[in-house]
């Protein structure tokens, strides 16, 4: 009995049960490029090209080891342009006795598969996604009964469970769980990105680039130059390059931002891990080995591993535990429309312009730009979380709802009411000026809060604090902020709020 094995665009991993359990003489794999997936948000064209090329290469790799593959390209005759439609067509054409799929990363597809089950003439099995290091039952067992779901405690459990950066006596390597106190330095003069890899484009990638150019002429983002890894072999080279040349400096400048330097010491691995070209456990193990060999200091290795073993697994747990309602959350009642400059990049704010330029050119910007520049602005200005969420889901090559939504709605916008972060990541121009050199090239001045040169982040920061005083002043981490607000006195407070209002009007009119 043939089994139809469906592989989604972000499930390109040979170690998944769906591949490992296949019978070469009997089963058929299905991969399909479809418009419903390519357009459910306005994806960056580099993200579409990366996934289509990686899917085609993965299909080729399966064929090379003797598997039968039904690959439906976007332009193929008869392509129904939906995943359901392609599964139904394949069932009709091949007459399998069963369909198997690995659980998808997004709620909407999970629901879709439940509905498809009823429409299919044969059983549909949904297998767990074993690439993750914390299963749904394990996350729920950890979360059950806890008053607060803090990442730090989850992370310690994951360290113990997977024995990563642990010593034989059960203590954390280096004597501490977290070395952030030694990380996050402001950029030093001349800080730049080390050399990064760029991969040769083969005929498959060239054909995909041509397809994307033709079919998505109005798509968001710059398609070329296209330098992504599109096979597991290439992604492993990217990983090795990072571990050898970049990891040792990872922690120190993790939060630094520099004009014209999108990558700095970041790994650029998220798109590959999320699509399945790299396994999170192998990435953590390599970083750990670099520490044990004396190649990377503990603050770098621990800081990096925490992002993957801690944050990445934790946000996935949060997503599945609190969906479907999670993406609807708007605890701070934010209702502003997303300013057009998120798409066009046209703003006088140099920090925002820089983050938008990285995003448009590379389908990438690093964590602090996402959180403390574009996310922080949306938080302070009170932009509708759903609109911000859809923007982040579209513009980054690593974006899938399971990881993007908790980061946007929870971490950046505090719209989940503090489920994920104990206090909002709100910051004024002073923080941006300390952690970057962006303000040097800005028409605004980070030390000015009122008047023509006033940095918008300043008055918007105080206006945000004033708007949400009732909710936030009870937070144990906020007294310092509200103490400063009170000390300012009524006249300054009123002037700041009037300035924030003027900035908000300028934002709506595209003048900010
Ligand atoms: P590095 O800084 O080198 O970090 C190493 C790895 O750790 C990453 O590759 C990633 O796998 C993991 N990681 C780091 N931080 C996080 C985090 N907060 N949550 C989950 N994994 C993390 N990450 C995504 O993978 N997809 C998204 O759609 C996404 N959207 C985000 C939206 C917002 C508003 C914010 C604030 C963060 C978002 N992140 C997202 C998390 C993080 O910014 C990216 O994972 C990171 O920038 C990817 O670049 P890198 O591979 O160079 O990461
Ligand atoms: C993101 C994406 C895109 C652009 N295109 C496809 C596609 O054509 N076929 C496919 O199987 N998957 C695609 N994907 C990835 C899916 O959207 C992804 O599996 C879900 O978002 C769940 O994470
Ligand atoms: Fe951004 Fe304000 Fe600095 Fe300009 S002055 S770059 S708006 S923080």
């Amino acid at each position: 009995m043939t089994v139809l094995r469906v592989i989604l665009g972000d499930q390109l991993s040979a170690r998944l049960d769906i591949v490992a359990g296949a019978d070469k003489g009997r089963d058929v794999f299905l991969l399909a490029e479809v418009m419903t997936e390519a357009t459910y948000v306005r994806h960056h064209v580099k993200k579409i090209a990366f996934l289509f090329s990686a899917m085609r290469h993965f299909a080729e790799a399966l064929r090379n080891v003797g598997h039968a593959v039904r690959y439906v390209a976007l332009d193929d005759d008869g392509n129904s342009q939906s995943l359901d439609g392609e599964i139904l067509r394949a069932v009709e054409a091949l007459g399998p006795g069963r369909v198997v799929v690995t659980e998808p990363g997004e709620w909407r597809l999970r629901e879709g598969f439940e509905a498809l089950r009823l429409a299919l003439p044969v059983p549909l099995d949904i297998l767990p996604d074993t690439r993750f290091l914390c299963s749904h039952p394990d996350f729920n067992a950890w979360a059950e009964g806890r008053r607060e779901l803090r990442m730090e405690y989850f992370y310690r459990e994951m360290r113990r469970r997977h024995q990563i950066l642990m010593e034989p006596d059960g203590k954390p390597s280096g004597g501490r769980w977290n070395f952030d106190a030694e990380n996050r330095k402001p950029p030093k003069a001349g800080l730049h990105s080390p050399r990064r890899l760029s991969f040769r484009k083969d005929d498959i990638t060239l054909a995909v680039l041509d397809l994307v150019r033709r079919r998505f002429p109005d798509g968001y983002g710059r398609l070329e130059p296209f330098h992504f890894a599109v096979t597991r072999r290439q992604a492993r080279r990217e990983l090795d390059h990072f571990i050898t040349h970049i990891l040792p400096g990872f922690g120190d400048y993790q939060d630094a931002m520099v004009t014209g330097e999108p990558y700095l010491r970041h790994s650029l691995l998220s798109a590959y891990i999320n699509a399945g070209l790299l396994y999170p456990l192998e990435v953590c193990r390599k970083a750990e080995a670099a520490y044990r060999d004396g190649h990377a200091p503990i603050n770098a290795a621990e800081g990096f591993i925490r992002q993957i073993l801690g944050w990445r697994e934790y946000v996935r747990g949060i997503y599945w535990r609190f969906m479907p309602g999670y993406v609807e959350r708007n605890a701070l009642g934010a209702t502003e429309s997303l300013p057009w400059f998120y798409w066009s990049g046209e703003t006088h704010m140099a920090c925002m312009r820089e983050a938008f330029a990285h995003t448009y050119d590379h389908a990438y910007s690093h964590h602090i730009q996402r959180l403390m520049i574009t996310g922080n602005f949306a938080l302070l200005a009170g932009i509708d979380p759903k609109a911000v969420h859809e923007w982040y889901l579209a513009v980054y090559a690593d974006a899938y709802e399971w990881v993007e939504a908790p980061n946007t709605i929870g971490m950046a916008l505090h719209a989940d009411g503090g489920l994920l972060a104990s206090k909002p990541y709100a910051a004024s121009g002073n923080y941006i000026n300390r952690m970057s050199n962006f303000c040097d090239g800005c028409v605004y001045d980070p030390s000015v809060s009122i008047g023509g040169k006033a940095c918008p982040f300043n008055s918007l920061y105080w206006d945000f604090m004033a708007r949400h005083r009732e909710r936030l002043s009870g937070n144990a981490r906020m007294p310092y902020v509200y103490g400063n607000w009170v000390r300012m006195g009524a006249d300054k407070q009123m002037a700041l709020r009037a300035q924030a209002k003027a900035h908000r009007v300028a934002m709506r009119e595209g003048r900010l």
Side-chain angles (χ1 to χ4, degrees):
M1 175 189 78
T2 299
V3 177
L4 180 68
R5 296 176 176 270
V6 182
I7 296 189
L8 304 179
D10 55 351
Q11 298 178 340
L12 309 178
S13 303
R15 286 186 215 156
L16 278 171
D17 289 349
I18 200 160
V19 179
D23 182 327
K24 283 183 183 160
R26 184 196 68 181
D27 298 346
V28 180
F29 285 100
L30 171 67
L31 290 94
E33 298 167 7
V34 292
M35 281 309 261
T36 47
E37 291 309 301
T39 57
Y40 74 94
V41 285
R42 192 181 171 214
H43 298 290
H44 197 296
V45 285
K46 270 198 168 92
K47 176 182 181 183
I48 301 175
F50 160 63
L51 275 183
F52 284 5
S53 180
M55 286 169 71
R56 291 182 186 196
H57 281 95
F58 189 72
E60 186 183 64
L62 287 174
R63 282 195 192 103
N64 286 345
V65 294
H67 289 294
V69 180
R70 177 180 167 102
Y71 192 95
V72 184
L74 197 74
D75 275 351
D76 281 356
D77 289 343
N79 184 338
S80 64
Q81 302 299 350
S82 78
L83 289 172
D84 285 7
E86 284 318 291
I87 294 171
L88 284 163
R89 263 193 346 127
V91 167
E92 206 167 292
L94 304 169
R98 211 156 58 92
V99 178
V100 182
V101 61
T102 305
E103 59 170 315
E106 299 193 347
W107 180 270
R108 67 185 173 89
L109 279 186
R110 173 90 209 196
E111 291 283 278
F113 284 138
E114 293 300 343
L116 180 64
R117 236 190 202 136
L118 306 175
L120 278 174
V122 293
L124 169 70
D125 297 340
I126 303 179
L127 305 179
D129 189 336
T130 50
R131 292 172 296 180
F132 289 95
L133 302 171
C134 184
S135 66
H136 299 315
D138 284 348
F139 187 85
N140 287 331
W142 173 78
E144 212 49 57
R146 280 176 193 261
R147 205 167 50 83
E148 289 189 323
L149 302 180
R150 292 287 163 252
M151 197 290 294
E152 189 61 33
Y153 298 109
F154 169 80
Y155 166 59
R156 291 178 192 181
E157 281 226 3
M158 294 295 284
R159 291 265 296 272
R160 287 195 198 95
R161 187 178 312 161
H162 294 280
Q163 285 297 301
I164 295 180
L165 289 182
M166 295 302 295
E167 297 305 314
D169 62 2
K171 297 225 168 74
S173 300
R176 293 209 313 264
W177 291 104
N178 182 316
F179 286 81
D180 255 1
E182 282 142 57
N183 290 345
R184 316 198 151 168
K185 299 184 175 72
K188 60 179 180 191
L191 183 68
H192 62 89
S193 303
R195 188 181 70 85
R196 310 306 296 227
L197 299 183
S198 176
F199 295 94
R200 197 182 62 78
K201 293 181 277 294
D202 64 4
D203 288 346
I204 293 180
T205 299
L206 290 172
V208 165
L209 290 175
D210 183 54
L211 171 80
V212 173
R213 221 177 281 119
R214 276 189 294 106
R215 294 295 299 270
F216 304 92
D218 302 320
Y220 170 81
R222 194 182 299 286
L223 182 60
E224 289 176 284
F226 182 88
H227 47 75
F228 281 70
V230 290
T231 63
R232 171 154 168 79
R233 182 189 290 253
Q234 291 177 341
R236 287 184 67 175
R237 276 185 55 206
E238 186 92 60
L239 170 60
D240 289 343
H241 180 79
F242 169 71
I243 299 282
T244 308
H245 301 289
I246 299 164
L247 174 68
F250 177 82
D252 287 353
Y253 297 110
Q254 206 178 327
D255 285 10
M257 298 173 280
V258 177
T259 304
E261 299 286 352
Y263 307 137
L264 293 173
R265 302 288 188 274
H266 291 272
S267 69
L268 318 186
L269 296 178
S270 52
Y272 307 136
I273 304 174
N274 295 351
L277 301 185
L278 294 173
Y279 298 93
L281 189 58
E282 77 178 327
V283 177
C284 293
R285 291 264 181 246
K286 284 218 169 193
E288 180 182 27
Y291 161 68
R292 299 221 178 268
D293 295 348
H295 177 65
I298 185 71
N299 70 310
E302 187 283 314
F304 178 72
I305 287 170
R306 177 159 21 95
Q307 307 309 313
I308 298 175
L309 187 63
W311 280 110
R312 186 172 184 274
E313 296 291 327
Y314 168 81
V315 297
R316 181 194 185 234
I318 294 283
Y319 176 78
W320 285 105
R321 190 168 169 83
F322 294 99
M323 279 301 280
Y326 195 82
V327 292
E328 307 297 331
R329 290 194 181 201
N330 189 357
L332 300 181
T335 53
E336 286 282 347
S337 305
L338 187 78
W340 178 245
F341 54 63
Y342 272 74
W343 294 108
S344 71
E346 289 166 3
T347 165
H348 300 301
M349 293 178 283
C351 53
M352 295 280 277
R353 217 170 43 230
E354 185 71 15
F356 293 138
H358 298 174
T359 305
Y360 187 85
D361 288 350
H362 307 292
Y364 179 87
S365 72
H366 74 63
H367 185 67
I368 293 304
Q369 291 185 317
R370 297 187 204 193
L371 182 62
M372 299 310 293
I373 305 288
T374 45
N376 182 28
F377 181 87
L379 171 76
L380 301 183
I383 316 279
D384 174 8
K386 196 83 179 280
V388 184
H389 151 60
E390 283 172 7
W391 182 78
Y392 278 102
L393 187 56
V395 300
Y396 293 115
D398 57 21
Y400 304 92
E401 196 174 81
W402 66 266
V403 52
E404 175 277 328
N407 271 295
T408 304
I409 288 169
M411 193 186 298
L413 301 182
H414 209 69
D416 66 1
L419 181 67
L420 192 135
S422 56
K423 83 183 212 347
Y425 283 92
S428 66
N430 186 30
Y431 169 87
I432 296 171
N433 191 32
R434 189 169 70 250
M435 296 309 296
S436 77
N437 65 354
F438 296 153
C439 303
D440 299 349
C442 189
V443 298
Y444 300 115
D445 183 336
S447 66
V448 179
S449 298
I450 292 164
K453 298 279 285 177
C455 165
F457 282 86
N458 291 342
S459 59
L460 288 172
Y461 173 85
W462 286 116
D463 187 64
F464 171 83
M465 292 302 168
R467 283 198 322 271
H468 300 294
R469 187 169 178 183
E470 202 172 318
R471 171 185 273 273
L472 298 178
S473 58
N475 185 313
R477 298 175 67 187
M478 302 300 278
Y480 174 75
V481 172
Y482 285 105
N484 282 343
W485 175 245
V486 169
R487 268 190 298 281
M488 267 176 211
D491 288 352
K492 178 93 188 276
Q493 289 176 355
M494 263 166 53
L496 280 168
R497 296 207 66 179
Q499 180 67 68
K501 197 170 171 190
H503 277 142
R504 220 178 275 108
V505 172
M507 171 186 86
R508 290 185 200 125
E509 293 174 355
R511 293 185 284 107
L512 200 59

